[in-house]
């Protein structure tokens, strides 16, 4: 895919209306038409010579504020909106909650070219927090957001009170253990073929151990609608660049360097591993074992606590929100260990 073919397609698709499809809704390139649980605001900034904007929710404490802020970092197949129950639980507990959509995702810009790194996404988020007057926060990262939250805590340790990781990917280095490399072009071709049925089946088998709840369909429609809407080529291209970032930029080797109190919240039935579908059989059987990975990484992180949710999958905050938030808040509300 050459730049001369790519750029005109962006100009054309961006101008098209959002279309309705019989197989489900279609949303705009920045998720126009999808309802978020709280008001979405936009942070405008310059990055890599581009004028970009990050969508985010900024939810005040509901009732007595405790003076603390929590920043929620979504996963690859998730958005800020998928944190809806966590935002409510944290707000009700007295926290100010910031839930951004990272560049390339959901309600945020999807540039025609961008050098995606976790360092860059961390910098973008730090700029947002600075603009909001937040000098120090607790980070809660899920899935790919766990890799980003880890990078943020390594990059800005003095600005992080606590770090909580929910079934983070990157607890292993898939490339190092033998998962083949996909080029950006190969990821792009794959992402152009995304469908609601494909997303649902992948999530059912990988995230939820074969189980499914009707409420998950809203999040499937969110992703599929973004991928079939008028910005589908923008969405697919940015998704391809992001997958390359995830695969080639492990944080695994730096867990030992984390200086902040860290909580691992692990659904033990999760089997997520990037590139598992093309891994050799011998490799495929050895990766994505969260019942093992959580324990291994907890030993690598100096100030860590491990909470396992037996039998739950990739998103325990969505599968069993009451149980999950009780465990999360119990840890967050303890006095921070001396550092």
């Amino acid at each position: 895919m050459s730049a001369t073919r790519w750029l005109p397609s962006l100009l054309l698709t961006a101008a098209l209306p959002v279309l309705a499809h019989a197989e489900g809704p279609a949303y705009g390139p920045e998720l126009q038409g999808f309802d978020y649980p709280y008001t979405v605001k936009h942070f405008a900034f310059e990055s890599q010579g581009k004028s970009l904007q990050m969508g985010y929710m900024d939810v005040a404490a509901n009732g007595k504020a405790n003076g603390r802020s929590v920043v929620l970092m979504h996963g690859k197949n998730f958005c800020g909106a998928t944190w809806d129950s966590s935002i409510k639980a944290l707000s009700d507990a007295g926290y100010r909650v910031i839930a951004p959509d990272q560049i390339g995702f959901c309600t945020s810009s999807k540039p025609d070219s961008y050098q995606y790194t976790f360092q860059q996404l961390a910098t973008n988020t730090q700029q947002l927090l600075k603009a909001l007057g937040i000098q120090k926060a607790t980070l809660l990262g899920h899935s790919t957001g766990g890799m980003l939250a880890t990078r943020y805590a390594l990059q800005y340790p003095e600005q992080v009170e606590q770090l909580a990781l929910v079934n983070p990917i990157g607890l292993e280095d898939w490339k190092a253990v033998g998962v083949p490399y996909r080029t950006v072009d190969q990821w792009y071709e794959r992402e152009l073929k995304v469908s609601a049925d494909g997303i649902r089946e992948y999530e059912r088998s990988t995230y939820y151990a074969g189980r499914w709840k009707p409420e998950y369909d809203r999040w499937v429609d969110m992703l599929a609608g973004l991928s079939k809407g008028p910005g589908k080529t923008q969405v697919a291209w940015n998704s391809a660049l992001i997958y390359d970032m995830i695969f080639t930029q492990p944080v695994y080797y730096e867990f030992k360097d984390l200086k902040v109190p860290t909580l691992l919240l692990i659904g033990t039935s999760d089997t997520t591993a990037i590139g598992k579908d093309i891994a050799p059989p011998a490799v495929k059987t050895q990766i994505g074992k969260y019942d093992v990975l959580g324990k291994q990484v907890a030993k690598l992180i100096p100030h860590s606590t491990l909470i396992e949710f037996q039998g739950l999958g990739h998103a325990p905050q969505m599968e069993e929100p009451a149980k999950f938030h009780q465990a999360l808040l119990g840890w967050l509300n303890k006095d921070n260990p001396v550092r």
Side-chain angles (χ1 to χ4, degrees), residues 43-44 56 96 125-134:
F43 171 59
Y56 68 96
R96 178 183 180 182
T125 306
Q126 194 269 347
Q127 290 180 20
L128 168 64
L129 297 184
K130 184 177 180 181
L132 295 176
I134 298 173

Side-chain angles (χ1 to χ4, degrees), residues 86-165:
S86 296
I87 294 172
K88 184 179 187 306
L90 288 162
S91 174
D92 287 348
Y95 291 88
R96 178 183 180 182
V97 185
I98 314 298
D101 285 332
Q102 296 298 326
I103 294 300
F105 294 86
C106 313
T107 64
S108 294
S109 298
K110 296 167 185 68
D112 54 15
S113 62
Y114 200 64
Q115 185 174 345
Y116 278 100
T117 66
F118 285 113
Q119 287 90 337
Q120 179 68 71
L121 297 186
T123 300
N124 297 347
T125 306
Q126 194 269 347
Q127 290 180 20
L128 168 64
L129 297 184
K130 184 177 180 181
L132 295 176
I134 298 173
Q135 297 178 346
K136 204 163 191 176
T138 288
L139 306 183
L140 177 60
H142 172 230
S143 191
T144 298
M147 292 184 79
L148 174 56
T150 300
R151 176 58 59 202
Y152 192 108
L154 290 165
Q155 198 163 321
Y156 303 108
E158 71 287 350
Q159 297 178 28
V160 179
E161 285 188 336
Q162 297 162 298
L163 174 65
L165 307 174

Side-chain angles (χ1 to χ4, degrees), residues 143-193:
S143 191
T144 298
M147 292 184 79
L148 174 56
T150 300
R151 176 58 59 202
Y152 192 108
L154 290 165
Q155 198 163 321
Y156 303 108
E158 71 287 350
Q159 297 178 28
V160 179
E161 285 188 336
Q162 297 162 298
L163 174 65
L165 307 174
V166 188
N167 281 74
I169 63 171
L171 298 183
E172 55 193 335
D173 180 352
W174 312 286
K175 178 168 59 71
V177 299
V179 176
Y181 176 73
R182 267 191 180 109
T183 67
V184 170
D185 290 324
Q186 289 171 326
W187 278 116
Y188 176 65
E189 292 301 322
R190 181 179 181 267
E191 291 302 284
L192 285 174
K193 300 171 185 175

Side-chain angles (χ1 to χ4, degrees), residues 33-79:
F34 184 84
D35 291 331
Y36 265 49
Y38 301 90
T39 300
V40 176
K41 301 175 183 178
H42 296 90
F43 171 59
F45 66 107
E46 297 288 322
S47 177
Q48 298 184 19
K50 300 178 185 298
S51 296
L52 304 175
Q53 64 86 21
M54 289 176 69
Y56 68 96
M57 292 174 285
D58 182 356
V59 182
N62 181 22
K64 186 177 181 181
N66 61 16
R68 298 172 68 187
S69 299
V70 179
V71 179
L72 308 183
M73 296 181 171
H74 60 77
K76 173 67 179 69
N77 292 327
F78 300 82
C79 292

